[in-house]
C-alpha cells in the first residue's frame, strides 16, 4: 500500500471519536444518603452546637457555612483523622455500590463525573473509604484547603453569571464546560443526570429529549420537574426516571447498554 494511504488511514483513526454515555452524579443525598455538611457535625466533642451552625444558611452560601463549621471543629481540637473517620462511616444510598461496580466494569461505555456543591475534602474522604474513587473521570466541587492557622477552608468552585444558582457554583455551566473539553475526544450519545436538589434543576432543564434525568423520588429536584412539566410540558425535554434505590438507575442503564 502506498505511504500516503497509510497516512490517510492514520488520520482517520486519529480524528475518530470514542462514543460513550456521560453519567453525571450529584453527591450529597444522591451518592451518599445524607448531607455531608451535617454528617461532619458528628465530630463535635460538645453535646451542643452554636445555633448558627445548626441552621442552613439563609443566603445559600454553603461554602462559607461549611468553613465556619470546620473552623469551629478545629477550634475544639478535632483532628483531620477524626473527621475522615466520621465521613467514612456515612452510608451510601441503597445499592449505590452495586451501581458503581457496574459502571466500573462498563467504563468503555460510560464516562462518570461528579458535579457537587460539597467539597474536595468530604467527597474524596468518602470515595476513598468506599474504594470508588476510580469510577470517576472528573470531580467538580468546591476546593478545600488549609489556611495559615492550619484550619480547613472551603473556597468557591468558580464565579458565573447564572441568576438561578448559588454564587459559587452553576452546575449547568460546569456540565457545558466538561462537554466542550471532551468534545475533541468523545462523542456523548446520551447524557444521564442523577441528582436530588434544587441546584440540579439548572443543568437538567437544558438537556435534550435524547437525555435522561434521574431525580431522587420526592426530593426537591423531583418536585421542581413535576411542577414545570405540569405547567409547561414542552419546557422540560429530557426523559425523567425517578429513583428510590440506585438499583432503579442500574436497571435502566443496563437496558441502555443492552445487558
Amino acid at each position: 500500500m502506498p505511504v500516503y494511504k497509510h497516512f490517510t488511514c492514520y488520520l482517520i483513526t486519529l480524528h475518530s471519536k470514542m462514543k460513550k454515555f456521560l453519567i453525571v452524579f450529584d453527591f450529597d443525598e444522591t451518592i451518599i444518603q445524607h448531607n455531608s455538611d451535617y454528617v461532619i457535625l458528628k465530630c463535635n466533642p460538645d453535646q451542643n452546637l452554636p445555633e448558627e451552625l445548626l441552621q442552613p444558611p439563609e443566603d445559600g452560601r454553603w461554602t462559607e457555612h461549611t468553613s465556619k463549621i470546620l473552623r469551629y471543629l478545629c477550634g475544639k481540637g478535632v483532628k483531620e483523622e477524626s473527621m475522615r473517620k466520621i465521613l467514612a462511616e456515612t452510608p451510601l444510598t441503597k445499592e449505590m455500590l452495586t451501581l458503581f461496580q457496574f459502571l466500573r466494569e462498563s467504563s468503555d461505555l460510560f464516562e462518570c463525573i461528579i458535579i457537587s456543591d460539597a467539597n474536595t475534602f468530604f467527597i474524596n474522604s468518602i470515595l476513598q473509604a468506599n474504594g470508588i474513587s476510580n469510577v470517576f473521570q472528573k470531580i467538580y466541587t468546591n476546593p478545600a484547603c488549609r489556611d495559615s492557622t492550619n484550619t480547613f477552608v472551603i473556597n468557591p468552585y468558580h464565579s458565573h453569571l447564572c441568576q438561578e444558582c448559588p454564587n459559587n457554583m452553576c452546575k449547568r455551566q460546569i456540565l457545558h464546560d466538561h462537554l466542550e473539553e471532551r468534545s475533541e475526544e468523545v462523542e456523548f450519545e446520551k447524557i444521564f443526570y442523577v441528582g436530588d436538589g434544587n441546584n440540579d434543576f439548572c443543568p437538567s432543564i437544558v438537556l435534550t429529549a435524547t437525555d435522561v434525568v434521574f431525580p431522587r423520588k420526592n426530593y426537591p429536584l423531583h418536585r421542581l420537574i413535576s411542577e414545570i412539566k405540569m405547567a409547561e410540558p414542552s419546557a422540560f425535554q429530557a426523559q425523567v426516571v425517578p429513583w428510590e434505590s440506585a438499583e432503579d438507575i442500574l436497571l435502566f442503564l443496563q437496558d441502555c447498554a443492552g445487558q
Side-chain angles (χ1 to χ4, degrees), residues 56-68 117 166-168:
E58 293 181 3
D59 56 6
R61 295 176 180 269
W62 278 99
T63 51
E64 295 175 17
H65 182 74
T66 306
S67 291
K68 288 179 183 177
D117 200 10
N167 61 357
N168 65 296

Side-chain angles (χ1 to χ4, degrees), residues 71 145-153:
R71 191 177 302 114
C145 61
R146 289 185 179 274
D147 64 11
S148 58
T149 65
N150 207 32
T151 300
F152 275 113
V153 175

Side-chain angles (χ1 to χ4, degrees), residues 9-72:
C9 291
Y10 171 74
L11 284 177
I12 291 171
T13 303
L14 185 66
H15 290 289
S16 61
K17 295 183 182 181
M18 293 182 290
K19 290 192 175 183
K20 282 191 170 188
F21 299 125
L22 177 65
I23 180 161
V24 183
F25 286 90
D26 173 47
F27 189 74
D28 287 336
E29 297 182 292
T30 296
I31 289 178
I32 62 172
Q33 179 65 24
H34 306 297
N35 185 328
S36 55
D37 287 322
Y38 293 134
V39 169
I40 201 67
L41 294 176
K42 295 179 182 178
C43 295
N44 182 38
D46 299 333
Q47 288 190 345
N48 298 313
L49 280 164
E51 186 64 26
E52 65 175 14
L53 298 184
L54 292 173
Q55 301 300 323
E58 293 181 3
D59 56 6
R61 295 176 180 269
W62 278 99
T63 51
E64 295 175 17
H65 182 74
T66 306
S67 291
K68 288 179 183 177
I69 290 172
L70 292 173
R71 191 177 302 114
Y72 176 84

Side-chain angles (χ1 to χ4, degrees), residues 113-116 139-141 157-158 168-181 203:
I113 65 173
I114 291 173
I115 305 178
S116 167
I139 299 172
Y140 298 98
T141 190
Y157 176 76
H158 65 178
N168 65 296
M169 177 170 286
C170 173
K171 293 187 174 186
R172 181 198 299 195
Q173 184 63 53
I174 294 170
L175 177 57
H176 174 270
D177 292 347
H178 181 81
L179 293 173
E180 280 211 335
E181 179 186 321

Side-chain angles (χ1 to χ4, degrees), residues 71-87:
R71 191 177 302 114
Y72 176 84
L73 293 174
C74 289
K76 291 292 183 179
V78 178
K79 304 297 184 186
E80 179 179 338
E81 295 75 19
S82 300
M83 295 185 195
R84 288 191 184 277
K85 183 175 184 297
I86 289 294
L87 291 166

